[in-house]
Amino acid sequence: MSILSEIKEAMISYNPQWVKELTEKALSEGVDAHSIINDGLIAGMNYIGAKFRDNEVYIPEVLVVARAMHAAMDVLKPHLIKDDFKRKATFVIGTVKQDLHDIGKNLVIIMLEGAGYKVVDLGVDVPPEKFARAVEEHRPQIVGISALLTTTLGQMRTTVEHLKPYRDSIKILVGGAPVTQRFADEINADGYAPDAASAVEKANELLGL
Ligand code: B1M
C-alpha cells in the first residue's frame, strides 16, 4: 500500500496520532505536501463525509477525523509556508454565521500565508457585522467568506450585502463545498474558488498581483 493510501486508511480508522506519524513519514520520504493533503487527508475526509451523509457514522467520529486532519495540517504548515518575503496584502477570512466548519477555511489560510498574504482569521460562525468591523479595523484588500452548508448560503449572501459600503476598497472571494461560480455571480461576489490552491490564484488575479 502506498503511503498516501496508508494516510487515508489511518484517517478512516479514527487514529489522529497515526495520521500525524504517517504525514511526518511521507514528508521524510520526499512526498509533496500538496499530494499528502489531496490524495491522503482529503481522500480520507471525503470517505468519512459520504458515510456521515448516509448516517453510517456520527458527529463524534467526524470530530475525531477533523482532529486528525488538523494534526496533519500542523505538521504540513511549515512545508507550505515560505516566510522569507514581504507580506503582499491583507486577507480577512471567516466562515459564515451558523456554520462551524473550518477545516477547508484553515487550509485556504495556510495556502494564502504560504503565498505571502497577511491573514486575519475571524474563525467560524461569523456574523456579517463582525466581517464589517474587521474591514474597518484591518483595512484588508480582500475578504474571504467560507460556507459548507446549503443552509448557510443565505448567510453568505447577507454578508456580501452587508459589506456593500466597503466595496470600493475590497474584493470579495467566496468558497466552500456548496458554493458555485453561478452562486458567486448571483450574490455579486468578485470571485469564487473551488479549492485552497485556486483561492490563492483567484486572490492574486483579483488584486492584480
Ligand atoms: Co458537517 N456537513 N455538518 N461537520 N461535514 C458536511 C459539509 C456535509 C456535506 C456532510 C454530508 O452530509 N455528506 C453536510 C452538508 C450538507 C449540505 O448542506 N449540503 C454536513 C452537515 C449536514 C452537518 C451538520 C448539519 C450535521 C448535523 O448536525 N446533523 C452539522 C452542522 C454544524 C454547523 O456547522 N452548524 C455538521 C457538523 C460537522 C462537524 C462539526 C462534525 C465537522 C466539522 C469540524 C470542523 O470543521 N472543525 C463536520 C465535517 C468534518 C464535515 C465533512 C465530513 C468534512 C468537511 C471538511 O472538512 N472537508 C463534510 C463532508 C465532506 O465535505 N465530504 C460535512 C475537507 C475540507 C478540506 O474540504 O471544507 O470543502 P472543504 O474545503 C475545501 C473547499 O470547499 C474550498 O477549499 C477547501 C480546500 O480545498 N474552500 C474554499 C472552503 N472554504 C473556502 C473559502 C474560499 C475558497 C475556497 O475562499 C474564501
Side-chain angles (χ1 to χ4, degrees), residues 86-178:
K86 273 181 108 181
R87 297 289 169 205
K88 57 182 175 193
T90 300
F91 195 117
V92 162
I93 188 168
T95 302
V96 294
K97 188 175 171 183
Q98 289 165 0
D99 198 324
L100 303 176
H101 296 84
D102 69 354
I103 296 172
K105 168 185 69 63
N106 292 345
L107 207 45
V108 170
I109 291 175
I110 291 175
M111 301 295 276
L112 285 168
E113 288 180 340
Y117 283 85
K118 177 187 172 201
V119 180
V120 179
D121 180 12
L122 304 179
V124 296
D125 192 18
V126 182
E129 301 76 21
K130 189 168 173 186
F131 275 102
R133 275 200 305 278
V135 172
E136 302 260 358
E137 186 182 344
H138 300 285
R139 303 271 163 206
Q141 286 71 42
I142 179 159
V143 174
I145 312 173
S146 179
L148 259 290
L149 299 169
T150 40
T151 50
T152 56
L153 286 177
Q155 290 292 343
M156 186 172 261
R157 182 192 297 273
T158 310
T159 305
V160 173
E161 280 165 7
H162 205 83
L163 293 175
K164 206 170 173 188
Y166 310 100
R167 293 302 290 269
D168 285 348
S169 63
I170 56 163
K171 297 290 182 193
I172 297 182
L173 179 68
V174 294

